[in-house]
Amino acid sequence: MARKGKPMYFEYGEREIEHLKKRDKRLGEAIDLIGPVRRELDEDMFSALLHQIAGQQISNAALGTVWGRLVERLGGRPTADAVLELTAQELKSCGISFRKTEYIRELSGRIRDGSIELGKFPKLSDAEIIAQLTACRGIGVWTAEMFLIFCLKRPDIVSWGDFGIRRGMRMLYRRRELDRTAFDRFAKRYAPYGTVASLYLWAIAGGALPGLADPGESAKKGRKRAEKKLP
């Protein structure tokens, strides 16, 4: 994301860590092995949402290029008014698909006409913010939840829609399958500091604990090998 000055990170401390260790022994052991996890924030609400939409279904490398072009085209600081001053073709020239330009313009229009008041978000509940954002095309529950974490710094977000979090759970708890019931049980265990648990689950999914494999992936490979042997 385009930022100036010192980066901001999701903050947590001993209170959150001790709570998670007390509630979940396996997660506590992983926390001790991994150490502090730092994930950068974007406290500009419009910029954060725009970045999430622009980044859908493309690589981080591609997003870096697209985002740089878009910020430059918007005069260095993305705002709803700046977006709406551009045509769909001008937005598309930054490397954004036509469908995403529609999503970005719709979000910008809702902000400018007051349908969405970002300034009120800090006082709204997680559920209220998710409901408002998902009313916009191009913003699903997962996108709204990532916004809650990386922009509003909400403390108790564990996203069922996030592949990395589900993978981290499978790896940590040695599960080939993870249904919604089990997921919700773990998430409830982490409350009210689910976001810190999510940071560690992402780290686990990304290989922070060498030698810890994903049982779900192993099961898939086993099924594929078995299918190949079938006549």
Side-chain angles (χ1 to χ4, degrees):
M1 298 181 190
R3 301 183 188 84
K4 292 182 180 180
K6 187 177 180 180
M8 299 288 292
Y9 298 96
F10 190 92
E11 294 183 358
Y12 62 95
E14 287 302 315
R15 179 177 59 182
E16 293 86 351
I17 293 300
E18 289 306 313
H19 173 85
L20 293 173
K21 286 183 176 181
K22 188 178 296 184
R23 295 296 300 273
D24 192 299
K25 182 179 178 181
R26 286 196 185 185
L27 180 58
E29 291 172 349
I31 288 171
D32 285 337
L33 289 169
I34 294 169
V37 173
R38 301 214 304 172
R39 293 294 294 265
E40 195 169 345
L41 303 172
D42 183 353
E43 295 184 293
D44 182 317
M45 287 187 276
F46 181 72
S47 172
L49 289 169
L50 197 63
H51 193 271
Q52 289 283 353
I53 294 172
Q56 291 171 1
Q57 297 180 330
I58 63 174
S59 69
N60 287 334
L63 175 57
T65 300
V66 169
W67 184 246
R69 291 173 183 166
L70 181 59
V71 171
E72 184 179 2
R73 174 73 76 165
L74 293 173
R77 185 174 183 274
T79 66
D81 287 339
V83 167
L84 293 171
E85 287 176 2
L86 300 179
T87 65
Q89 188 56 45
E90 285 174 321
L91 287 170
K92 194 171 182 296
S93 71
C94 297
I96 299 171
S97 70
F98 180 72
R99 180 169 293 181
K100 287 181 186 177
T101 65
E102 291 182 327
Y103 297 159
I104 289 169
R105 288 179 62 81
E106 179 177 328
L107 172 66
S108 301
R110 285 175 180 259
I111 289 171
R112 188 159 75 174
D113 70 19
S115 301
I116 292 178
E117 296 182 79
L118 294 178
K120 292 184 176 180
F121 274 17
K123 295 183 179 180
L124 298 182
S125 69
D126 296 345
E128 288 171 328
I129 293 170
I130 290 171
Q132 283 200 33
L133 291 179
T134 55
C136 296
R137 291 183 302 156
I139 300 180
V141 172
W142 178 84
T143 299
E145 288 172 333
M146 296 305 103
F147 172 80
L148 288 172
I149 292 175
F150 295 113
C151 186
L152 295 183
K153 300 175 282 190
R154 292 298 170 93
D156 196 23
I157 305 296
V158 186
S159 176
W160 165 253
D162 191 276
F163 173 80
I165 289 177
R166 296 200 310 274
R167 185 170 191 257
M169 278 190 182
R170 287 199 308 268
M171 293 170 69
L172 181 64
Y173 302 111
R174 315 307 300 148
R175 286 174 167 263
R176 291 188 177 185
E177 303 289 341
L178 182 74
D179 61 21
R180 186 61 187 267
T181 300
F183 180 94
D184 288 343
R185 185 170 68 250
F186 292 130
K188 185 176 180 180
R189 186 183 299 175
Y190 308 146
Y193 304 121
T195 299
V196 177
S198 293
L199 299 183
Y200 281 94
L201 292 170
W202 275 317
I204 291 167
L209 296 177
L212 189 61
D214 181 354
E217 290 298 320
S218 299
K220 286 180 183 178
K221 290 177 182 178
R223 284 195 294 270
K224 287 180 180 179
R225 285 195 296 268
E227 287 170 0
K228 288 181 179 179
K229 292 180 181 178
L230 291 174

